[in-house]
Amino acid sequence: MRAEAVDDEVIPGPSVVPARLHLARWDQLRVIAAVDTVAIHLTGDHALYGFGLPLFLVLAIALGVSKPDAPPTPRFVRSRLDRIVTPWLFWSAVLFGLRVLDAWRYDRPLLGWVEPEMLLYGPQIHLWFLPFVVGAGLLAHLVQRGQARSQARNDATAPMIAFALAALAIWPASLPVRGWPFEQWLFSVPTIALGYGVGRCVAFGDLTRARLGTTAGFTLFVTIGLAVSVLRPEASALFVRYVGGLALLVGAMWLPNVIDRLTPHLVPLMLGVYVLHLDVHRSLTKPVMIDLGVYDERWLRVAISFPLTMAIVFALRRTWLRRFL
């Protein structure tokens, strides 16, 4: 497969301001993180040791603050409404209807499965990340706006503070909490600071500075995080998942920054894959696999359901449903 170099290392002239340093490897990581997430939902085991969720969330937040200048807050909010909130509300309504239909088919109470907490995430728990990313991304954006007013947007101190705060946040993130989506949200709290730190390193606009900044931040995160894990052993498992996800992100940045022909076509499908993979599996993949007697092959579920969901999302994006995918 032919690859093209991304000309991100060219230093612009004084009249040229890059919109964002494009990191092709991040696109590939978003696909890898999606596979890890789908695997845990379909098999009960991670395909990537659980590194995918922290990696996915950090990338989602980092991309929102990776431009040298923050957009006006109203425009940022409108963008999040169009890209995240509207799809979340639309598919929540669709999946709600499907669950009601399923209850009717099996002669169960139509709304017997509804819980008040679903107002926070939707009719299926895997949708929890959408409202979280909206809130976390807005918080990171507001911090970026505040930093811009302090005339310190290119200061490397702020990203390092963010990495340190992310490591300290592992302590509260490991506290016991009951109920969905509070467990997922609490686990994800460190990604807010991590995403901000990574995004602001990329916002320097220079690939070498971005690499060095994220590597320094990773080192600081690991150093403080180890201390937190020693003081609170219950945080160790969470810390390992965060270190793994961040290590993949930083390591990928040191690879040649090239664009392959396939990944740019896959990345736009990932939101739809995440939202729809469970229902594609339940309605299409699972019945066929049971009939064929191969449903116990857990990883075959992923190998079939993931590309099948991508194909369905690809087809749906050719219709009016594109705005929700």
Side-chain angles (χ1 to χ4, degrees):
M1 182 177 296
R2 185 179 68 87
E4 299 177 357
V6 181
D7 192 19
D8 283 328
E9 297 189 84
V10 176
I11 300 177
S15 62
V16 180
V17 179
R20 176 188 286 127
L21 177 65
H22 180 75
L23 298 169
R25 300 298 179 182
W26 280 18
D27 292 338
Q28 295 161 0
L29 287 176
R30 290 164 72 182
V31 178
I32 292 171
V35 174
D36 186 53
T37 303
V38 170
I40 188 62
H41 290 162
L42 301 190
T43 72
D45 292 318
H46 289 286
L48 200 63
Y49 306 103
F51 301 160
L53 179 57
L55 174 61
F56 179 84
L57 292 172
V58 169
L59 286 171
I61 297 168
L63 287 170
V65 294
S66 60
K67 291 183 178 180
D69 296 304
T73 298
R75 190 169 75 188
F76 182 89
V77 171
R78 284 196 301 271
S79 174
R80 288 301 178 269
L81 288 174
D82 290 341
R83 295 182 181 182
I84 302 177
V85 176
T86 298
W88 173 48
L89 294 176
F90 176 82
W91 290 110
S92 290
V94 171
L95 297 178
F96 179 89
L98 291 176
R99 292 200 65 173
V100 170
L101 179 62
D102 190 60
W104 175 77
R105 286 174 56 198
Y106 292 99
D107 197 27
R108 296 194 296 260
L110 297 184
L111 301 179
W113 52 273
V114 175
E115 299 177 352
E117 293 82 0
M118 288 181 175
L119 291 172
L120 300 175
Y121 60 88
Q124 296 185 15
I125 185 56
H126 77 290
L127 300 177
W128 68 267
F129 90 95
L130 290 167
F132 176 83
V133 166
V134 171
L138 179 59
L139 179 59
H141 163 79
L142 293 175
V143 173
Q144 182 187 5
R145 294 284 294 179
Q147 186 186 3
R149 285 193 292 270
S150 70
Q151 299 181 344
R153 70 181 188 186
N154 291 321
D155 185 2
T157 303
M160 294 305 107
I161 292 175
F163 281 108
L165 290 175
L168 293 174
I170 291 175
W171 186 301
S174 66
L175 295 174
V177 61
R178 293 183 179 181
W180 296 341
F182 308 109
E183 296 174 8
Q184 291 83 356
W185 287 356
L186 188 62
F187 169 89
S188 305
V189 164
T191 63
I192 303 174
L194 273 181
Y196 183 82
V198 170
R200 296 315 297 156
C201 287
V202 173
F204 292 149
D206 176 78
L207 184 57
T208 299
R209 285 193 69 190
R211 287 167 169 167
L212 292 175
T214 52
T215 302
F218 173 72
T219 303
L220 182 61
F221 176 80
V222 171
T223 301
I224 298 176
L226 280 173
V228 171
S229 297
V230 170
L231 294 172
R232 179 171 172 77
E234 296 86 349
S236 298
L238 186 151
F239 172 65
V240 169
R241 290 182 64 181
Y242 271 91
V243 168
L246 193 57
L248 287 173
L249 188 151
V250 174
M253 291 181 66
W254 285 96
L255 296 174
N257 195 28
V258 297
I259 298 176
D260 62 80
R261 287 187 172 182
L262 180 60
T263 304
H265 299 288
L266 298 182
V267 170
L269 307 178
M270 289 304 104
L271 174 61
V273 167
Y274 189 92
V275 171
L276 297 178
H277 70 275
L278 278 175
D279 283 273
V280 169
H281 173 71
R282 291 168 181 162
S283 303
L284 300 177
T285 309
K286 184 176 180 178
V288 173
M289 292 184 69
I290 290 176
D291 289 343
L292 295 176
V294 296
Y295 189 68
D296 289 340
E297 300 294 333
R298 295 185 304 155
W299 294 106
L300 189 59
R301 303 173 195 173
V302 181
I304 297 175
S305 297
F306 191 85
L308 177 59
T309 307
M310 282 198 298
I312 291 172
V313 173
F314 178 82
L316 291 177
R317 284 175 59 85
R318 294 293 186 270
T319 71
W320 62 272
L321 292 171
R322 177 185 179 88
R323 66 167 299 196
F324 304 112
L325 293 166

